[in-house]
Amino acid sequence: MGGVTEMTVSNARARLADVVDAARVGHDPVYLTRRGQRVAAVIDADELDRLIAAAEDLADLKAVRAARAEIADGEPVIPWEQVKVDLGLA
């Protein structure tokens, strides 16, 4: 596709195999447009998996920071043994 990173939805429909190959081989998203506005992107499946994992890791880090802030502010902690009981793991 020669470095094309943006194309209309109708053009992409006609050249779907090329769009998929460009995203998969080039590892760069191909943005699909409608009336000049980006409406979607085609990306490599492995890259999507990496992005999802990174987003989940960031969410986990944010939750850890929030929990540490609660502890620092004096919020009571729940002992691990109690958590296991509450979850039916003990």
Side-chain angles (χ1 to χ4, degrees):
M1 292 189 52
V4 174
T5 59
E6 199 168 282
M7 65 180 8
T8 64
V9 171
S10 58
N11 191 20
R13 185 181 304 118
R15 301 175 55 200
L16 183 58
D18 293 335
V19 172
V20 170
D21 286 344
R24 186 178 53 82
V25 174
H27 298 285
D28 288 324
V30 177
Y31 294 98
L32 306 181
T33 63
R34 185 174 287 140
R35 295 182 198 91
Q37 299 294 316
R38 287 181 177 179
V39 295
V42 178
I43 65 169
D44 177 67
D46 290 337
E47 184 64 21
L48 176 61
D49 290 341
R50 283 189 289 279
L51 291 170
I52 290 171
E56 289 170 348
D57 289 346
L58 287 173
D60 291 345
L61 288 171
K62 184 177 179 182
V64 167
R65 285 188 196 112
R68 286 182 176 162
E70 287 177 3
I71 292 169
D73 289 342
E75 291 287 326
V77 294
I78 302 170
W80 176 236
E81 292 304 320
Q82 183 61 46
V83 171
K84 290 192 297 187
V85 169
D86 292 347
L87 294 174
L89 302 174

